Amino acid sequence: MQTLADKLRFLYKPYVLAVLTIGYIAGELGHYLIGVTSKATAIELDYGDHACQQNHTEVERHLLSKQCADVILEHECHQQLHNGTLYCEWNYNGLGLEYQLLAGPSFIAVFTVMGVVLGFAADRFNRVRMLTVCTLVFGLAIIFQGTVQEYWQLILLRMVMAAGEAGCNPLATGIMSDIFPESKRALVMAIFNWGIYGGYGIAFPVGRYITKLDIWGQGWRICYYGTGVLALLMAVLTGTTLKEPERQSIGEENEAKVKVPLVKVLMQPRVILLMIAASIRHCGGMTFAYNADLYYNIYFPDVDLGWWLFAVTIGIGSIGVVIGGIVSDKFVAKMGIRSRVACLAISQLIATPFAFGSVYYEPLWAMITLGISYFFAEMWFGIVFAVLVEIVPLQVRSTTIGVFLFVMNNIGGNLPILVDPLAKAIGYRGSVMFFYAGFYGLSTILFFITMFFMDGPVKATAPETAERNQVEMGHENNTFQPDDFINGINGGAPKTNGHNILNVRPSESSRL
């Protein structure tokens, strides 16, 4: 007779996905909160640029003789009157080089280095325990960000937060790849990596409206306290309820297996091209993430778009992420790994013109075009990592993810710092448009090129063998073709237990 635990065993996999995803959302919420609270934070901590801005008087922009954002000099800002009421103020606007350093490089510098270190460690140590520690670290760092009194303290704590959050993706991706079969991999990766957009989307109402509530007189600080507590709760659940899944043995237990050098894997043209394309696409997304709330506040100060931005990023973005995973999983069975990259290229191609519209039009059409853009644009992240884990051998999977994230985040996360100097030359709107929508378009071209370096349809595996692979392994990883790659390393066809590796069944070759 089945016990209750046996009957509920089918819930374990979705439970793992839920815990890992919510933990990731908490980390990303802490990451992106600064973009929404920056003006309030800058006023209190004294950093960034001053600018002329519309104050809180109830005046609609179209009734004003001159927009506050068009005023450059402070004394002119104090002279803008409407019906005898001063409608502009000269104050911190939350922007400037100090903000860009806080939002991007200070976080990315640590995040990318630790991502590689933790990626290496994930291939050798217990991933669940490591993920628990990482979540505790960034949860505490987020809480302490709410206590800072100086700009440098905020910089330091964002670096500590980055160190902890760096482990989320490589550790969780490795865990999920060992739990879920290849047929569900893109969808699972898409749901998990939606945590980035979930955290980013939730940051709009949390950063805007919780700050305005001024709970217990804490203003923007309460946002960080709440986020950190959520992260600590997920750390406890991770450490006490998740178990390390079975995976390929490594180190001393793997002596009979072919050693695949990490450098050889990373130097594959398809990995390099995928990395560059993903980095460019990431730059476009990070530019919008770091500047969206500030941009719409500057150009449309009389229109509250906080809930609109939340609805678009959470609602429409979520649908796009899931649809991207499903479409990719359906096509890959018939068309091979190349179809996943085709999904990437086509989705970004459709998203690009609408991304331009979201920073060109007035609020109504800006939100409409942003919604359409998000639906297609947000398909990309989960698919990229589903492609990555399928084109690299299992022994270096987590390490490769760490290196991939290192490059992608250094390029995509640091390039948005150029928004500030370009904005001073061509204007803030033009600068955001260039790095946001322009880089979407560039990534489209690069994904199309990458597609031709990927494998096409592969011969179907016998049903009984495929079923056994999924039960025993939890994944197949058989799109990584060892033929030329392994021969190039060893100078010939290697042998394993007296058999040629190139002739073994998929369940055996996946153990390379």
Side-chain angles (χ1 to χ4, degrees), residues 437-448:
F439 274 44
Y440 272 24
L442 181 57
S443 74
T444 299
I445 298 172
L446 294 172
F447 281 130
F448 268 120

Side-chain angles (χ1 to χ4, degrees), residues 272-284:
I272 293 174
L273 285 169
L274 184 67
M275 194 179 297
I276 295 173
S279 299
I280 296 300
R281 169 57 182 82
H282 194 47
C283 176

Side-chain angles (χ1 to χ4, degrees), residues 4 30 51 96 98 109 161 177 212 215 225 263 280 295 321 396 400 424 458:
L4 180 61
E98 288 173 292
M161 178 180 69
S177 294
K212 290 179 181 178
I215 300 174
Y225 296 146
V263 174
I280 296 300
Y295 170 84
V321 167
V396 292
T400 303
K424 289 178 170 59
V458 295

Side-chain angles (χ1 to χ4, degrees), residues 150-162:
E150 300 288 343
Y151 173 77
W152 68 266
Q153 296 171 347
L154 194 56
I155 287 278
L156 180 62
L157 285 168
R158 278 185 65 82
M159 294 172 72
V160 175
M161 178 180 69

